[in-house]
Amino acid sequence: MKTRLDSTSIGILKLLNQNGKLTNKELASSLNLSISPIFERRKRLEDLGFIKKYIAVIDRSKLESGLICITKITMLKHSGESFSNFRQAIMQAKEVLECYQLTGTFDFMLKIMTQDMASYYKFIQYNLANIEDVGKIITSSVISQIKSEYDQNV
């Protein structure tokens, strides 16, 4: 059952989505409320899982971050057990930054980051290709990142 949020809670989420460092005082000021109800609502949003965590978004171009690949996977079997085994293995792989289950030609799409192409090849050879029921693996290397946004549809 989905929890309905009022305009104040949605306002809190929108503001934090733009800047997760905002204090309760700053949120209260922006929403024309006192600090106490903002504190309570923010805590409730965290407890209910609307706010999963607070993170710093790193500009990887400032670091020597290595290679980013978009990898599409087609499974040999389309069973709950196969999908579950795949998900469990992917959750353990530190190289996988994002994973999406898809409709259409491919079953999964992964965003993978490794140091270089040799490291990527080792990850595919010794990890991804060894997951039971993984069939086709199609990879594209990222040349440049044009846009990166986080959920703005709060």
Side-chain angles (χ1 to χ4, degrees):
M1 184 173 167
K2 291 191 177 185
T3 304
R4 286 195 156 306
L5 298 177
D6 63 14
S7 60
T8 301
S9 293
I10 291 171
I12 292 170
L13 291 175
K14 284 182 177 183
L15 289 168
L16 289 174
N17 196 42
Q18 293 168 1
N19 181 359
K21 288 176 61 174
L22 290 175
T23 65
N24 289 332
K25 182 178 179 181
E26 291 167 326
L27 287 170
S29 176
S30 294
L31 296 170
N32 297 317
L33 293 169
S34 63
I35 297 172
S36 181
I38 293 295
F39 172 80
E40 291 170 11
R41 283 175 184 262
R42 185 178 192 164
K43 179 75 172 119
R44 182 172 180 263
L45 290 167
E46 291 169 354
D47 291 345
L48 291 174
F50 284 95
I51 299 171
K52 291 183 181 182
K53 63 182 174 177
Y54 298 91
I55 62 168
V57 179
I58 308 300
D59 183 349
R60 298 209 180 269
S61 70
K62 306 284 187 204
L63 304 171
E64 292 185 32
S65 60
L67 178 70
I68 295 177
C69 292
I70 304 299
T71 303
K72 296 177 184 170
I73 307 294
T74 303
M75 301 295 286
L76 294 173
K77 292 182 187 174
H78 291 93
S79 68
E81 183 179 351
S82 291
F83 287 158
S84 178
N85 289 341
F86 181 82
R87 280 189 216 100
Q88 288 176 7
I90 291 305
M91 292 301 291
Q92 302 304 313
K94 67 177 177 33
E95 295 86 354
V96 177
L97 302 177
E98 299 176 31
C99 176
Y100 301 93
Q101 190 167 3
L102 308 173
T103 61
T105 306
F106 299 98
D107 296 308
F108 295 94
M109 182 174 74
L110 311 175
K111 180 178 178 183
I112 299 172
M113 187 172 73
T114 59
Q115 184 176 357
D116 52 27
M117 188 55 78
S119 300
Y120 179 78
Y121 178 72
K122 285 180 186 174
F123 172 72
I124 295 297
Q125 184 178 24
Y126 297 113
N127 295 81
L128 199 55
N130 288 326
I131 299 172
E132 188 175 346
D133 295 325
V134 165
K136 188 186 294 186
I137 301 172
I138 304 290
T139 298
S140 297
S141 299
V142 173
I143 296 171
S144 68
Q145 183 176 15
I146 306 303
K147 182 177 180 179
S148 177
E149 290 293 328
Y150 296 90
D151 189 7
Q152 298 296 318
N153 297 317
V154 178

